Amino acid sequence: MTDTTLDRGGFDVRSFIRDKIFLGMSLGEYFRSLLTPGNAVFALILIVGVPIIVYRFAFGIGASSHLTQMNPWGIWIGLDVMSGVALAAGGFTVATAVYVLGLKEYHPIVRPAVLTGFLGYLFVVIGLCADLGRPWKLPVPMAYSFGTGSVMFEVGWCVCLYLIVLALEFSPAAFEWLGLRKAREWAIRMTLALTILGLCLSTLHQSSLGALFLMMPHRLHPLWYSGFVPIFFFVSAIIAGLSMVIVESGLSHRVFKDQVDPKDHGKLDKLTLGLARGAAVVLFAYFFLKLQGLVDSGRFDLLLTPYGYWFLFEMLGFILIPSFLYAIAVRRQNATLARWVAGWTVLGIVVNRLNLSVIAFNWNAPERYVPGFMEIMISVTIITIGIMTFRWIVNRMPVLREDPSYPQH
Amino acid sequence: MDLSRRTFIKFAGAAGAAGLAAKPARAEASALRTVNTPAVLVDTTRCVGCRGCEAACGESNLLPPPAQPGSDAVFSTPRRTDPSTYTVVNRAAASSKEGDVRYVKRQCMHCLDPACASACLAKALEKTAAGPVVYHKERCLGCRYCMVACQFDVPKFDFDSPAPYIHKCTFCAERQAQGLQPACASVCPTGALQFGHREELLEEARTRIYQNAGKYVHQVYGEFEAGGTSWLYITDVPFDKLGFRTDLGPTSPPELTRTALAAVPFVLTLWPPLLMGLYTFSKRRAEASKSGEKEAHHD
């Protein structure tokens, strides 16, 4: 079954589809294999969510969300875009570690990290299209009307270019799947250049997502407003990337057990603890950076208010304590603990991004924004389609395993 | 906010320092600032709440007629502008005394260095050399960054439309280009709205403040707020009572993001050589440890 039609000369579409798309099964077998409880949950989400997305585009943002003139940004920006971009930072973090810093032992997790990054960004852009009033105008700032004085312009360009970089970084896996040796070779040759370009673009857009808020001291609670916000965003993106890779690889090894090379089964704990060590250090540094931001603002008086308690909870509960717990996990060589801490840290990053863009945003406005059901459902649906795409690719391409017919690079 | 001479000097100094950091952008903005830009002086002590300006605005911009014409009930709650209302006149209590009220017209302030224009990634909002901040609808993506960036909550969005646009006061840019006043100012019967050149109107405002000892608050709202605006207000009751934000400070909002934007060339020029260095270093180390292992084997 693996020696594909390509080897026999002529290209046979039917057997190509059977081998590459239906995992070597017939159509009937393939559909029967999809009847699992997990897929039932996915199907339910899509049955509810897809019509809501159609409704959103047919009747507008007002009809499908709780966004208002006073609160024009909600969870589509806070969760889909702000959190999505941070959590997709694993791609540049791990690629830099492996290809630039030469930490070859992390090679087995480069491809899943890059794939998570690529799909993360892809679905950020798809989520963004739900939020944009006129998404079909996306080519305007790319092609002919350049708002170069806008931080959003920088974000847009970097995200677009980085999406291309991630696609190219992942392309060797796709070429291996399709049996395109020549193309794969070319793609592999670009690895170092792409990794460096990826880090440049990530530095810029991860930080400039934070820089979007620099112009809004009038809207953002003083405890979260800081001139250092771009730096906070970049540093916490590294934490998000490392933690997300821990979470994703832990889940992948469980869900796609048969995909993983048996000789890699034992390696994961060691890699997880290595990533946890990095995350502990960066989290600790991030705590002190945030502390400097607080000192700089001088607003200690606000700490003893409800917003202040929430700020302290973020500082201690989502930054300082996970930093120590990561360190404990490393010290005791407890990969399971590291995975739980990683999950908690990922949640902490999401909370941070939601704090900036929703919770502490417009804190002094007369009306509060609370996301509506349809709004949440659109986000959930887009995330679900993202997860399904990840699974679809992992089941077909050499992501968690190496293709034995290609040399490791 | 009290603006002492010291704050002004500090502001001027900061503007100068930022000018050195980001020359082209600053040059553009300061050129706009020094040009004797068109402006409107609003004297809230003269406004009687007739809402003629609202009607003229609607007519001139082809908007639906204002809500509840001629009715006093419209003042019961403060209104905001919306996609089909570019200006509103609100009533505010000046003191606890019954009937002691002031009327305040609100609209886009047409900032000298506007947040919305610098926020827009597609230049859909643009500060024109002539003065008004105008909207090019064909470029707009509907991202609403202009709405959150604006300190005065001015840009409004067609939330009900599947193909929405941003709406806001245009300062009647087309009328101004023909040498006419903005529609609202042209119909004001009491002289509460006075159209003219910004520098002259600032003189006028100060003259009124000084010549009517004790009457006015000693502040021209819009002279420095958010880097200065083309709409200037004077009043005899504190500005916060009239619904104005008094915590905006004199820094123009785009100034706040200029350092972040200035970092772009540094990242792009410093990261690649630095990373190549790290790469070479790690490669050498790996080779050294490999040959070290080999030597160890030979021994």
Side-chain angles (χ1 to χ4, degrees):
Chain A
M1 216 179 297
T2 38
D3 62 328
T4 58
T5 48
L6 293 171
D7 300 330
R8 274 184 267 134
F11 182 76
D12 181 351
V13 177
R14 268 178 61 190
S15 65
F16 174 82
I17 290 176
R18 207 181 76 167
D19 290 343
K20 298 294 185 192
I21 311 287
F22 293 138
L23 301 169
M25 291 179 257
S26 73
L27 192 62
E29 285 169 336
Y30 179 68
F31 278 115
R32 267 193 298 280
S33 78
L34 292 181
L35 298 173
T36 62
N39 278 338
V41 176
F42 284 165
L44 193 68
I45 291 171
L46 295 191
I47 288 167
V48 180
V50 173
I52 293 179
I53 293 175
V54 174
Y55 182 85
R56 141 76 189 91
F57 283 100
F59 296 97
I61 294 172
S64 46
S65 77
H66 284 180
L67 297 176
T68 62
Q69 304 292 0
M70 283 309 288
N71 291 298
W73 279 6
I75 60 157
W76 290 337
I77 290 292
L79 187 69
D80 303 13
V81 177
M82 293 283 170
S83 308
V85 166
L87 299 185
F92 91 83
T93 320
V94 177
T96 304
V98 172
Y99 297 122
V100 177
L101 304 181
L103 304 174
K104 298 283 182 208
E105 64 269 32
Y106 292 97
H107 198 271
I109 53 171
V110 164
R111 276 191 181 175
V114 169
L115 178 62
T116 312
F118 171 65
L119 292 177
Y121 278 89
L122 186 65
F123 284 89
V124 161
V125 174
I126 292 171
L128 183 65
C129 286
D131 181 81
L132 285 179
R134 310 175 74 79
W136 55 91
K137 290 283 183 181
L138 266 172
V140 171
M142 311 310 294
Y144 63 90
S145 188
F146 307 123
T148 46
S150 166
V151 180
M152 190 73 99
F153 180 77
E154 188 196 329
V155 175
W157 264 88
C158 287
V159 167
C160 174
L161 292 176
Y162 189 46
L163 192 58
I164 298 170
V165 165
L166 281 164
L168 291 173
E169 278 189 274
F170 184 71
S171 66
F175 291 140
E176 285 172 21
W177 170 58
L178 297 170
L180 302 170
R181 279 178 184 274
K182 200 100 198 180
R184 174 191 178 271
E185 251 169 64
W186 276 101
I188 296 249
R189 249 177 249 173
M190 294 189 295
T191 303
L192 180 65
L194 287 174
T195 307
I196 290 175
L197 186 57
L199 181 57
C200 288
L201 293 169
S202 293
T203 310
L204 289 176
H205 74 254
Q206 294 285 1
S207 59
S208 54
L209 271 179
L212 289 178
F213 296 99
L214 287 178
M215 234 192 314
M216 300 186 238
H218 59 291
R219 227 172 261 288
L220 196 56
H221 191 281
L223 286 176
W224 280 274
Y225 183 84
S226 162
F228 306 138
V229 161
I231 298 167
F232 295 162
F233 265 54
F234 177 64
V235 175
S236 58
I238 296 173
I239 299 161
L242 293 171
S243 300
M244 194 62 192
V245 170
I246 294 176
V247 170
E248 173 271 310
S249 60
L251 289 174
S252 289
H253 272 245
R254 212 172 253 231
V255 178
F256 305 102
K257 216 179 278 160
D258 48 330
Q259 281 283 334
V260 181
D261 194 328
K263 75 173 162 44
D264 283 347
H265 272 305
K267 278 190 198 160
L268 185 67
D269 282 1
K270 200 169 153 274
L271 296 184
T272 297
L273 291 168
L275 294 168
R277 183 193 299 267
V281 173
V282 186
L283 260 173
F284 202 58
Y286 178 56
F287 176 78
F288 281 96
L289 278 175
K290 289 276 285 178
L291 210 55
Q292 285 182 39
L294 177 63
V295 172
D296 186 57
S297 78
R299 297 307 300 271
F300 297 102
D301 55 314
L302 291 172
L303 288 176
L304 295 177
T305 62
Y307 271 103
Y309 303 141
W310 183 235
F311 179 80
L312 286 174
F313 184 69
E314 187 192 332
M315 287 286 282
L316 301 176
F318 285 120
I319 305 172
L320 193 60
I321 292 174
S323 168
F324 284 128
L325 288 177
Y326 262 137
I328 291 170
V330 173
R331 202 178 168 131
R332 299 202 179 143
Q333 295 289 296
N334 187 340
T336 313
L337 176 61
R339 281 184 201 111
W340 281 107
V341 181
W344 181 248
T345 307
V346 163
L347 181 69
I349 298 292
V350 174
V351 166
N352 173 257
R353 297 308 193 253
L354 287 176
N355 274 342
L356 267 290
S357 50
V358 176
I359 297 166
F361 191 74
N362 272 343
W363 66 290
N364 48 7
E367 44 184 86
R368 280 310 307 172
Y369 157 82
V370 179
F373 169 73
M374 285 199 262
E375 223 171 332
I376 296 170
M377 211 43 222
I378 287 176
S379 292
V380 169
T381 306
I382 289 169
I383 294 166
T384 305
I385 298 174
I387 293 170
M388 290 170 71
T389 312
F390 182 83
R391 185 182 63 168
W392 192 91
I393 292 174
V394 164
N395 275 331
R396 283 158 186 81
M397 301 180 198
V399 177
L400 297 178
R401 63 190 149 86
E402 270 158 31
D403 190 323
S405 54
Y406 294 91
Q408 199 199 25
H409 63 287
Chain B
M1 187 190 55
D2 88 311
L3 266 163
S4 61
R5 198 171 53 175
R6 195 190 305 167
T7 15
F8 174 71
I9 290 168
K10 235 163 66 184
F11 167 52
L20 292 173
K23 250 183 193 158
R26 285 294 326 143
E28 199 182 317
S30 61
L32 291 171
R33 236 178 254 203
T34 49
V35 158
N36 207 355
T37 189
V40 173
L41 174 63
V42 186
D43 189 333
T44 60
T45 64
R46 297 186 181 183
C47 181
V48 292
C50 75
R51 295 170 64 214
C53 50
E54 285 186 22
C57 173
E59 211 171 294
S60 182
N61 290 294
L62 307 174
L63 304 169
Q68 299 170 290
S71 162
D72 207 42
V74 79
F75 293 121
S76 57
T77 49
R79 291 175 300 150
R80 299 193 196 110
T81 60
D82 62 48
S84 56
T85 317
Y86 295 175
T87 185
V88 291
V89 177
N90 281 324
R91 183 161 72 190
S95 69
S96 52
K97 251 195 313 188
E98 177 117 13
D100 187 15
V101 294
R102 298 290 178 277
Y103 297 92
V104 192
K105 176 186 183 303
R106 303 304 300 265
Q107 72 297 305
C108 172
M109 300 288 282
H110 295 277
C111 304
L112 302 187
D113 193 8
C116 60
S118 97
C120 184
L121 75 167
K123 282 197 167 165
L125 284 156
E126 189 188 21
K127 174 78 181 174
T128 57
V133 179
V134 298
Y135 175 61
H136 306 281
K137 63 194 309 193
E138 73 284 354
R139 299 177 189 168
C140 180
L141 281 74
C143 74
R144 311 186 293 287
Y145 186 25
C146 55
M147 298 175 76
V148 289
C150 175
Q151 308 83 346
F152 303 105
D153 294 325
V154 167
K156 294 288 149 67
F157 188 66
D158 290 325
F159 276 104
D160 299 328
S161 166
Y165 288 116
I166 291 289
H167 298 267
K168 71 167 198 70
C169 154
T170 62
F171 210 179
C172 288
E174 283 173 23
R175 284 177 59 100
Q176 284 200 40
Q178 295 164 15
L180 297 168
Q181 296 193 14
C184 54
S186 73
V187 300
C188 182
T190 61
L193 305 178
Q194 192 177 338
F195 179 72
H197 291 298
R198 190 168 185 270
E199 295 304 318
E200 288 155 23
L201 290 177
L202 278 171
E203 294 284 311
E204 171 68 26
R206 288 190 203 108
T207 309
R208 278 188 216 170
I209 292 171
Y210 295 141
Q211 287 185 345
N212 297 277
K215 183 182 176 191
Y216 289 97
V217 173
H218 278 237
Q219 180 187 354
V220 183
Y221 193 95
E223 184 177 11
F224 298 112
E225 276 71 19
T229 62
S230 298
W231 280 68
L232 305 164
Y233 287 79
I234 50 173
T235 172
D236 60 344
V237 296
F239 279 102
D240 52 349
K241 275 198 173 173
L242 301 179
F244 286 88
R245 281 196 80 141
T246 50
D247 59 344
L248 295 179
T251 312
S252 87
E255 209 73 73
L256 297 168
T257 59
R258 270 179 196 133
T259 29
L261 287 172
V264 176
F266 289 98
V267 169
L268 289 178
T269 47
L270 290 179
W271 255 193
L274 188 73
L275 293 167
M276 283 308 292
L278 280 173
Y279 170 74
T280 316
F281 176 71
S282 71
K283 205 174 159 189
R284 277 236 186 103
R285 203 177 43 181
E287 276 162 9
S289 75
K290 223 180 236 170
S291 64
E293 269 169 34
K294 264 184 203 158
E295 273 163 33
H297 262 289
H298 283 302
D299 289 340

